[in-house]
Amino acid sequence: MGKRNRAAVVVLGDIGRSPRMQYHSLSLARQAHLNVDIVAYGGSEPHISVSEHQSIHIHKMPQWPTFPRNFPKILRPLFLILKPIFQFLVLLWYLCIKIPAPDCFIVQNPPSVPTLVAVKWASWLRHSAFIIDWHNFGYTLLALSLGRSSPFVSIYRWFENHYGKMAHGSLCVTKAMQHELSENWGIKYEHELDISKWPLFCMINLLNFSGLHHSRKSMMISKNLNEPYGLCDCISNGLLRADDNDPNLTPFTERVGTDIFLKENRPALIVSSTSWTPDEDFGILLEAALMYDRRVAALLGEDDSTGDEVVWEGIRDGKEFLYPRLLFIITGKGPEKEKYEQKIRKLNLRRVAFRTMWLSAEDYPVLLGSADLGVCLHTSSSGLDLPMKVVDMFGCGLPVCAVSYSCIKELVDVEKNGLLFSSSSELADELMMLFEGFPGRCDSLKSMRSNLMERVSSVRWATVWDENAKPLIHKVISERST
């Protein structure tokens, strides 16, 4: 059977929230010169480079409905059993009927059930190659809610293992996962695609982050700053109180004529992207923010009635020091968002403010490139995957403080591009250390950003994809077409 010059990218999830699969789609179209059919759910819009590419076609599947509020509890088990059956049939319909026959299917895992089963069946029926991009293990995510001893977790793992072995090629995000698949799952690699360390955003040229001006940041977020999670906070009641209607003043910049200047007393901007799920303990960040708030007050001998200034000065060991206010912007959607927003309202923070936002694929990297620090709370259900949000932050030249777990050092080089923490107290220590003297000093923060920008300028996704993914894809396609 001859080559069809087509590839299908399969995601049983929101394609707008699957950046790595969007990058694969762009590389397949641009570098492998293939027509690409993306089969996924709708929800969030993908990046404009994907949605407007002439060779990329997005097919949005219907989703299984959520529980109605008054749905009888006795029927919920039946509802949950029918869900994967519905998903399986919809997937088969799209992969076998709705889209043209591809040379290969590239599927994101997890979820594994029924995705791997459906894609394997479709690849057999359409004589196509079957490639899995392993982001994590699905059975470990299921175990977060059911427990490792659950028979459903064991069944799920069997499906993931059985159909994983049937793939004609595999890609994964870490060397630790590659070793696990090779040694314990019997899945061998001929090409390593360790693309987890590379600045993905640079591939699609979203911005020249080294030249990004903070005025863009100010315009983008200022409209949301007057919506505090309490009666008042240090942003709404301090910085913007007198300047709401002045277009030349923002919390971060001041415009004089045609020139825009960064304020010396601006708050530090910290970004954390989260899916608001149990594998990311957002409580750690809240506790660390509270500790920072109280520690600065204690150092300066202040009580809770003070704190109207933007930056506090003091003397410690004969040395002048400065600590800024901190503005945390939390991006993402997920089930636990409302719960934590309620907790934020009760904290009564004086020197720290929180805002939650959902940004478009175009605005998100603008925020990352404008921030002073990123925080990652991902802990990994398997201990073998890496948070792609950190990859995005690094691609924008943003240093990161990340939760420490088994293979995170494959990504975070401590004191070179970020720091690791295991508790809220450790994160608070790092915030105190990194932002002492902000914005003029902060040598550690500046050094890490400099290291990242040097790497961003020398490494691109396209190069790594060409060297690793492209040969594997061409190989499996050639084998299936002969």
Side-chain angles (χ1 to χ4, degrees), residues 131-182:
I131 297 174
I132 301 175
D133 188 15
W134 297 84
H135 294 206
N136 199 352
F137 291 121
Y139 81 92
T140 62
L141 291 172
L142 184 63
L144 290 177
S145 57
L146 299 183
R148 290 271 181 158
S149 60
S150 169
F152 290 103
V153 173
S154 299
I155 293 170
Y156 198 103
R157 187 185 188 281
W158 182 89
F159 272 100
E160 192 168 20
N161 183 298
H162 182 72
Y163 283 91
K165 290 178 180 178
M166 293 184 179
H168 302 112
S170 291
L171 308 170
C172 66
V173 296
T174 66
K175 293 178 180 178
M177 183 175 289
Q178 179 186 2
H179 182 268
E180 172 70 13
L181 289 172
S182 177

Short mmCIF file of all heavy atoms in Angstrom, two decimals, residues 131-182:
data_model
loop_
_atom_site.label_atom_id
_atom_site.label_comp_id
_atom_site.label_asym_id
_atom_site.label_seq_id
_atom_site.Cartn_x
_atom_site.Cartn_y
_atom_site.Cartn_z
N ILE A 131 1.50 5.02 16.77
CA ILE A 131 2.56 5.58 17.61
C ILE A 131 1.93 6.17 18.87
O ILE A 131 0.94 6.90 18.79
CB ILE A 131 3.36 6.67 16.86
CG1 ILE A 131 4.07 6.06 15.65
CG2 ILE A 131 4.37 7.33 17.80
CD1 ILE A 131 4.76 7.10 14.78
N ILE A 132 2.51 5.87 20.02
CA ILE A 132 2.03 6.43 21.29
C ILE A 132 3.01 7.48 21.80
O ILE A 132 4.22 7.24 21.83
CB ILE A 132 1.87 5.33 22.36
CG1 ILE A 132 0.89 4.25 21.91
CG2 ILE A 132 1.39 5.94 23.68
CD1 ILE A 132 0.80 3.08 22.87
N ASP A 133 2.49 8.63 22.18
CA ASP A 133 3.29 9.63 22.87
C ASP A 133 2.93 9.55 24.35
O ASP A 133 1.85 9.98 24.77
CB ASP A 133 3.02 11.02 22.32
CG ASP A 133 3.99 12.06 22.87
OD1 ASP A 133 5.02 11.66 23.44
OD2 ASP A 133 3.72 13.27 22.73
N TRP A 134 3.83 8.94 25.13
CA TRP A 134 3.57 8.69 26.56
C TRP A 134 3.85 9.95 27.37
O TRP A 134 4.99 10.35 27.54
CB TRP A 134 4.47 7.56 27.06
CG TRP A 134 4.22 6.23 26.41
CD1 TRP A 134 4.73 5.79 25.22
CD2 TRP A 134 3.42 5.16 26.92
NE1 TRP A 134 4.29 4.52 24.95
CE2 TRP A 134 3.48 4.10 25.98
CE3 TRP A 134 2.65 4.99 28.08
CZ2 TRP A 134 2.80 2.90 26.17
CZ3 TRP A 134 1.98 3.80 28.26
CH2 TRP A 134 2.06 2.76 27.32
N HIS A 135 2.78 10.58 27.87
CA HIS A 135 2.93 11.73 28.76
C HIS A 135 3.01 11.29 30.22
O HIS A 135 3.61 11.97 31.05
CB HIS A 135 1.74 12.68 28.59
CG HIS A 135 1.65 13.32 27.25
ND1 HIS A 135 1.04 14.54 27.03
CD2 HIS A 135 2.09 12.92 26.03
CE1 HIS A 135 1.12 14.85 25.75
NE2 HIS A 135 1.74 13.87 25.13
N ASN A 136 2.33 10.19 30.53
CA ASN A 136 2.27 9.66 31.88
C ASN A 136 1.64 8.26 31.78
O ASN A 136 1.42 7.77 30.68
CB ASN A 136 1.43 10.57 32.78
CG ASN A 136 1.68 10.35 34.27
OD1 ASN A 136 2.38 9.42 34.67
ND2 ASN A 136 1.11 11.21 35.09
N PHE A 137 1.37 7.63 32.91
CA PHE A 137 0.65 6.37 32.92
C PHE A 137 -0.77 6.62 33.41
O PHE A 137 -0.99 7.20 34.48
CB PHE A 137 1.34 5.35 33.82
CG PHE A 137 2.65 4.87 33.29
CD1 PHE A 137 3.82 5.04 34.01
CD2 PHE A 137 2.72 4.26 32.04
CE1 PHE A 137 5.03 4.60 33.51
CE2 PHE A 137 3.94 3.82 31.54
CZ PHE A 137 5.09 3.99 32.27
N GLY A 138 -1.74 6.13 32.63
CA GLY A 138 -3.14 6.35 32.98
C GLY A 138 -3.55 5.65 34.25
O GLY A 138 -4.35 6.19 35.04
N TYR A 139 -3.01 4.45 34.51
CA TYR A 139 -3.45 3.71 35.69
C TYR A 139 -3.02 4.40 36.98
O TYR A 139 -3.70 4.30 38.01
CB TYR A 139 -2.93 2.27 35.63
CG TYR A 139 -1.50 2.07 36.08
CD1 TYR A 139 -1.20 1.74 37.40
CD2 TYR A 139 -0.44 2.21 35.19
CE1 TYR A 139 0.10 1.56 37.82
CE2 TYR A 139 0.86 2.02 35.59
CZ TYR A 139 1.14 1.69 36.91
OH TYR A 139 2.44 1.51 37.31
N THR A 140 -1.90 5.14 36.94
CA THR A 140 -1.47 5.84 38.15
C THR A 140 -2.38 7.03 38.44
O THR A 140 -2.58 7.40 39.60
CB THR A 140 -0.01 6.31 38.04
OG1 THR A 140 0.12 7.24 36.95
CG2 THR A 140 0.92 5.14 37.81
N LEU A 141 -2.91 7.66 37.40
CA LEU A 141 -3.86 8.75 37.61
C LEU A 141 -5.17 8.22 38.17
O LEU A 141 -5.76 8.83 39.07
CB LEU A 141 -4.12 9.47 36.27
CG LEU A 141 -2.95 10.28 35.72
CD1 LEU A 141 -3.27 10.77 34.31
CD2 LEU A 141 -2.62 11.46 36.62
N LEU A 142 -5.61 7.07 37.66
CA LEU A 142 -6.83 6.46 38.19
C LEU A 142 -6.66 6.07 39.66
O LEU A 142 -7.58 6.18 40.47
CB LEU A 142 -7.20 5.23 37.35
CG LEU A 142 -8.52 4.53 37.71
CD1 LEU A 142 -9.70 5.46 37.50
CD2 LEU A 142 -8.68 3.26 36.88
N ALA A 143 -5.45 5.65 40.01
CA ALA A 143 -5.17 5.22 41.39
C ALA A 143 -5.26 6.38 42.38
O ALA A 143 -5.46 6.15 43.58
CB ALA A 143 -3.79 4.58 41.47
N LEU A 144 -5.13 7.63 41.91
CA LEU A 144 -5.26 8.77 42.81
C LEU A 144 -6.64 8.82 43.45
O LEU A 144 -6.79 9.23 44.60
CB LEU A 144 -4.99 10.08 42.05
CG LEU A 144 -3.55 10.33 41.59
CD1 LEU A 144 -3.49 11.62 40.79
CD2 LEU A 144 -2.61 10.41 42.78
N SER A 145 -7.64 8.40 42.69
CA SER A 145 -9.01 8.45 43.22
C SER A 145 -9.50 7.11 43.75
O SER A 145 -10.30 7.07 44.70
CB SER A 145 -9.97 8.94 42.13
OG SER A 145 -9.90 8.12 40.98
N LEU A 146 -9.01 5.99 43.18
CA LEU A 146 -9.51 4.68 43.59
C LEU A 146 -8.56 3.91 44.50
O LEU A 146 -8.97 2.94 45.15
CB LEU A 146 -9.80 3.82 42.34
CG LEU A 146 -10.85 4.36 41.37
CD1 LEU A 146 -11.07 3.36 40.24
CD2 LEU A 146 -12.16 4.65 42.09
N GLY A 147 -7.29 4.32 44.52
CA GLY A 147 -6.29 3.58 45.30
C GLY A 147 -5.61 2.52 44.45
O GLY A 147 -6.23 1.93 43.55
N ARG A 148 -4.34 2.26 44.74
CA ARG A 148 -3.55 1.32 43.94
C ARG A 148 -4.09 -0.11 44.01
O ARG A 148 -3.88 -0.90 43.10
CB ARG A 148 -2.10 1.32 44.42
CG ARG A 148 -1.33 2.59 44.10
CD ARG A 148 -0.67 2.49 42.76
NE ARG A 148 0.10 3.70 42.44
CZ ARG A 148 1.09 3.73 41.57
NH1 ARG A 148 1.44 2.62 40.93
NH2 ARG A 148 1.72 4.85 41.31
N SER A 149 -4.80 -0.45 45.08
CA SER A 149 -5.26 -1.82 45.25
C SER A 149 -6.59 -2.09 44.55
O SER A 149 -7.07 -3.23 44.55
CB SER A 149 -5.41 -2.14 46.75
OG SER A 149 -6.33 -1.26 47.36
N SER A 150 -7.19 -1.09 43.98
CA SER A 150 -8.48 -1.26 43.32
C SER A 150 -8.37 -2.21 42.13
O SER A 150 -7.44 -2.10 41.33
CB SER A 150 -9.03 0.09 42.84
OG SER A 150 -10.14 -0.08 41.99
N PRO A 151 -9.32 -3.13 41.96
CA PRO A 151 -9.29 -4.01 40.78
C PRO A 151 -9.45 -3.25 39.48
O PRO A 151 -8.95 -3.67 38.44
CB PRO A 151 -10.47 -4.97 41.03
CG PRO A 151 -11.34 -4.28 42.02
CD PRO A 151 -10.44 -3.46 42.86
N PHE A 152 -10.14 -2.11 39.52
CA PHE A 152 -10.29 -1.30 38.30
C PHE A 152 -8.95 -0.75 37.85
O PHE A 152 -8.67 -0.63 36.66
CB PHE A 152 -11.28 -0.16 38.55
CG PHE A 152 -12.70 -0.61 38.71
CD1 PHE A 152 -13.28 -0.67 39.97
CD2 PHE A 152 -13.45 -0.99 37.61
CE1 PHE A 152 -14.59 -1.10 40.13
CE2 PHE A 152 -14.77 -1.42 37.76
CZ PHE A 152 -15.33 -1.47 39.02
N VAL A 153 -8.08 -0.40 38.82
CA VAL A 153 -6.74 0.09 38.48
C VAL A 153 -5.92 -1.02 37.84
O VAL A 153 -5.19 -0.81 36.86
CB VAL A 153 -6.04 0.64 39.74
CG1 VAL A 153 -4.58 0.99 39.43
CG2 VAL A 153 -6.78 1.87 40.27
N SER A 154 -6.04 -2.23 38.36
CA SER A 154 -5.32 -3.37 37.79
C SER A 154 -5.78 -3.67 36.36
O SER A 154 -4.96 -3.93 35.47
CB SER A 154 -5.51 -4.61 38.66
OG SER A 154 -5.01 -4.40 39.96
N ILE A 155 -7.09 -3.62 36.15
CA ILE A 155 -7.62 -3.85 34.81
C ILE A 155 -7.15 -2.76 33.86
O ILE A 155 -6.76 -3.03 32.71
CB ILE A 155 -9.17 -3.91 34.86
CG1 ILE A 155 -9.62 -5.14 35.63
CG2 ILE A 155 -9.76 -3.92 33.44
CD1 ILE A 155 -11.12 -5.15 35.94
N TYR A 156 -7.18 -1.53 34.33
CA TYR A 156 -6.74 -0.39 33.51
C TYR A 156 -5.28 -0.56 33.12
O TYR A 156 -4.90 -0.34 31.97
CB TYR A 156 -6.95 0.90 34.30
CG TYR A 156 -6.96 2.16 33.46
CD1 TYR A 156 -8.15 2.81 33.17
CD2 TYR A 156 -5.77 2.74 33.01
CE1 TYR A 156 -8.17 3.98 32.43
CE2 TYR A 156 -5.78 3.90 32.26
CZ TYR A 156 -6.98 4.52 31.97
OH TYR A 156 -6.99 5.69 31.23
N ARG A 157 -4.44 -0.96 34.10
CA ARG A 157 -3.02 -1.14 33.81
C ARG A 157 -2.81 -2.25 32.78
O ARG A 157 -1.92 -2.15 31.91
CB ARG A 157 -2.25 -1.47 35.09
CG ARG A 157 -0.73 -1.51 34.89
CD ARG A 157 -0.01 -1.95 36.16
NE ARG A 157 1.43 -1.81 36.02
CZ ARG A 157 2.23 -2.64 35.38
NH1 ARG A 157 1.71 -3.72 34.76
NH2 ARG A 157 3.53 -2.43 35.32
N TRP A 158 -3.62 -3.32 32.86
CA TRP A 158 -3.48 -4.41 31.89
C TRP A 158 -3.75 -3.91 30.48
O TRP A 158 -2.99 -4.21 29.55
CB TRP A 158 -4.43 -5.55 32.23
CG TRP A 158 -4.28 -6.71 31.27
CD1 TRP A 158 -3.43 -7.76 31.39
CD2 TRP A 158 -4.98 -6.89 30.02
NE1 TRP A 158 -3.55 -8.60 30.30
CE2 TRP A 158 -4.49 -8.08 29.44
CE3 TRP A 158 -5.96 -6.16 29.35
CZ2 TRP A 158 -4.95 -8.56 28.21
CZ3 TRP A 158 -6.41 -6.63 28.12
CH2 TRP A 158 -5.92 -7.82 27.57
N PHE A 159 -4.82 -3.13 30.31
CA PHE A 159 -5.13 -2.58 28.98
C PHE A 159 -4.01 -1.66 28.50
O PHE A 159 -3.60 -1.71 27.34
CB PHE A 159 -6.45 -1.79 29.03
CG PHE A 159 -7.66 -2.63 28.79
CD1 PHE A 159 -8.45 -3.07 29.87
CD2 PHE A 159 -8.04 -2.98 27.51
CE1 PHE A 159 -9.57 -3.84 29.65
CE2 PHE A 159 -9.17 -3.75 27.28
CZ PHE A 159 -9.94 -4.19 28.35
N GLU A 160 -3.49 -0.82 29.40
CA GLU A 160 -2.44 0.13 29.03
C GLU A 160 -1.17 -0.61 28.61
O GLU A 160 -0.53 -0.26 27.61
CB GLU A 160 -2.16 1.06 30.22
CG GLU A 160 -1.31 2.26 29.89
CD GLU A 160 -1.31 3.28 31.01
OE1 GLU A 160 -1.64 2.92 32.17
OE2 GLU A 160 -1.00 4.45 30.73
N ASN A 161 -0.83 -1.67 29.36
CA ASN A 161 0.36 -2.45 29.05
C ASN A 161 0.17 -3.25 27.76
O ASN A 161 1.02 -3.25 26.86
CB ASN A 161 0.66 -3.39 30.21
CG ASN A 161 1.93 -4.19 30.02
OD1 ASN A 161 2.01 -4.99 29.08
ND2 ASN A 161 2.89 -4.01 30.90
N HIS A 162 -0.97 -3.93 27.64
CA HIS A 162 -1.22 -4.81 26.51
C HIS A 162 -1.23 -4.04 25.19
O HIS A 162 -0.55 -4.43 24.22
CB HIS A 162 -2.56 -5.53 26.71
CG HIS A 162 -2.91 -6.49 25.62
ND1 HIS A 162 -2.26 -7.71 25.45
CD2 HIS A 162 -3.83 -6.42 24.61
CE1 HIS A 162 -2.77 -8.34 24.40
NE2 HIS A 162 -3.73 -7.58 23.88
N TYR A 163 -1.98 -2.94 25.15
CA TYR A 163 -2.06 -2.18 23.90
C TYR A 163 -0.85 -1.28 23.69
O TYR A 163 -0.53 -0.93 22.55
CB TYR A 163 -3.36 -1.38 23.88
CG TYR A 163 -4.55 -2.25 23.54
CD1 TYR A 163 -5.29 -2.86 24.56
CD2 TYR A 163 -4.89 -2.52 22.22
CE1 TYR A 163 -6.36 -3.70 24.27
CE2 TYR A 163 -5.97 -3.35 21.92
CZ TYR A 163 -6.69 -3.94 22.94
OH TYR A 163 -7.74 -4.77 22.63
N GLY A 164 -0.15 -0.93 24.77
CA GLY A 164 1.09 -0.19 24.61
C GLY A 164 2.14 -1.00 23.87
O GLY A 164 2.90 -0.48 23.05
N LYS A 165 2.17 -2.30 24.14
CA LYS A 165 3.13 -3.18 23.46
C LYS A 165 2.81 -3.34 21.97
O LYS A 165 3.68 -3.71 21.18
CB LYS A 165 3.13 -4.55 24.12
CG LYS A 165 3.73 -4.59 25.50
CD LYS A 165 3.65 -5.99 26.10
CE LYS A 165 4.25 -6.05 27.48
NZ LYS A 165 4.12 -7.40 28.09
N MET A 166 1.57 -3.09 21.58
CA MET A 166 1.17 -3.25 20.19
C MET A 166 1.56 -2.07 19.31
O MET A 166 1.43 -2.14 18.09
CB MET A 166 -0.34 -3.46 20.10
CG MET A 166 -0.82 -4.76 20.71
SD MET A 166 -2.61 -4.97 20.46
CE MET A 166 -2.86 -6.57 21.24
N ALA A 167 2.00 -0.97 19.92
CA ALA A 167 2.36 0.21 19.14
C ALA A 167 3.59 -0.08 18.28
O ALA A 167 4.48 -0.84 18.66
CB ALA A 167 2.63 1.39 20.07
N HIS A 168 3.62 0.56 17.11
CA HIS A 168 4.78 0.40 16.21
C HIS A 168 5.91 1.35 16.58
O HIS A 168 7.03 1.20 16.09
CB HIS A 168 4.34 0.68 14.77
CG HIS A 168 3.23 -0.22 14.30
ND1 HIS A 168 1.96 0.23 14.05
CD2 HIS A 168 3.21 -1.56 14.08
CE1 HIS A 168 1.20 -0.78 13.66
NE2 HIS A 168 1.92 -1.88 13.68
N GLY A 169 5.63 2.31 17.43
CA GLY A 169 6.65 3.24 17.89
C GLY A 169 6.17 3.98 19.12
O GLY A 169 4.96 4.12 19.34
N SER A 170 7.09 4.43 19.96
CA SER A 170 6.74 5.14 21.18
C SER A 170 7.66 6.33 21.39
O SER A 170 8.86 6.27 21.09
CB SER A 170 6.83 4.22 22.40
OG SER A 170 5.82 3.23 22.37
N LEU A 171 7.07 7.40 21.91
CA LEU A 171 7.81 8.58 22.34
C LEU A 171 7.45 8.81 23.80
O LEU A 171 6.38 8.41 24.25
CB LEU A 171 7.39 9.81 21.51
CG LEU A 171 7.44 9.66 19.99
CD1 LEU A 171 6.77 10.86 19.33
CD2 LEU A 171 8.87 9.52 19.51
N CYS A 172 8.32 9.45 24.56
CA CYS A 172 7.96 9.75 25.94
C CYS A 172 8.68 10.99 26.41
O CYS A 172 9.56 11.51 25.73
CB CYS A 172 8.25 8.57 26.87
SG CYS A 172 9.97 8.17 27.05
N VAL A 173 8.30 11.47 27.61
CA VAL A 173 8.75 12.78 28.06
C VAL A 173 9.98 12.75 28.96
O VAL A 173 10.57 13.79 29.20
CB VAL A 173 7.61 13.54 28.77
CG1 VAL A 173 6.48 13.82 27.81
CG2 VAL A 173 7.12 12.78 29.98
N THR A 174 10.36 11.59 29.49
CA THR A 174 11.53 11.54 30.37
C THR A 174 12.34 10.28 30.11
O THR A 174 11.83 9.26 29.63
CB THR A 174 11.13 11.54 31.86
OG1 THR A 174 10.43 10.33 32.17
CG2 THR A 174 10.27 12.73 32.21
N LYS A 175 13.60 10.34 30.48
CA LYS A 175 14.45 9.16 30.42
C LYS A 175 14.00 8.11 31.44
O LYS A 175 14.11 6.91 31.18
CB LYS A 175 15.90 9.56 30.67
CG LYS A 175 16.49 10.43 29.57
CD LYS A 175 17.91 10.85 29.88
CE LYS A 175 18.49 11.72 28.77
NZ LYS A 175 19.87 12.18 29.08
N ALA A 176 13.49 8.58 32.57
CA ALA A 176 13.01 7.64 33.59
C ALA A 176 11.82 6.84 33.06
O ALA A 176 11.73 5.63 33.29
CB ALA A 176 12.62 8.40 34.86
N MET A 177 10.92 7.49 32.36
CA MET A 177 9.78 6.78 31.77
C MET A 177 10.24 5.85 30.66
O MET A 177 9.74 4.73 30.52
CB MET A 177 8.75 7.77 31.24
CG MET A 177 7.50 7.10 30.67
SD MET A 177 6.25 8.28 30.17
CE MET A 177 5.70 8.86 31.78
N GLN A 178 11.20 6.29 29.88
CA GLN A 178 11.75 5.44 28.82
C GLN A 178 12.32 4.16 29.42
O GLN A 178 12.10 3.05 28.91
CB GLN A 178 12.84 6.19 28.07
CG GLN A 178 13.50 5.37 26.97
CD GLN A 178 14.67 6.09 26.35
OE1 GLN A 178 15.01 7.19 26.76
NE2 GLN A 178 15.29 5.48 25.36
N HIS A 179 13.04 4.29 30.54
CA HIS A 179 13.62 3.12 31.20
C HIS A 179 12.54 2.20 31.74
O HIS A 179 12.62 0.97 31.61
CB HIS A 179 14.54 3.59 32.34
CG HIS A 179 15.22 2.47 33.06
ND1 HIS A 179 14.68 1.87 34.19
CD2 HIS A 179 16.39 1.82 32.82
CE1 HIS A 179 15.48 0.93 34.61
NE2 HIS A 179 16.54 0.87 33.80
N GLU A 180 11.50 2.78 32.33
CA GLU A 180 10.39 1.98 32.86
C GLU A 180 9.70 1.20 31.75
O GLU A 180 9.42 0.00 31.90
CB GLU A 180 9.39 2.91 33.56
CG GLU A 180 8.10 2.24 34.00
CD GLU A 180 8.25 1.26 35.14
OE1 GLU A 180 9.33 1.25 35.79
OE2 GLU A 180 7.30 0.48 35.40
N LEU A 181 9.41 1.86 30.64
CA LEU A 181 8.74 1.19 29.53
C LEU A 181 9.61 0.09 28.94
O LEU A 181 9.13 -0.98 28.58
CB LEU A 181 8.38 2.20 28.44
CG LEU A 181 7.26 3.19 28.78
CD1 LEU A 181 7.14 4.25 27.68
CD2 LEU A 181 5.93 2.47 28.95
N SER A 182 10.89 0.34 28.87
CA SER A 182 11.81 -0.64 28.26
C SER A 182 12.05 -1.84 29.18
O SER A 182 11.99 -3.00 28.73
CB SER A 182 13.14 0.04 27.94
OG SER A 182 14.06 -0.88 27.42
#
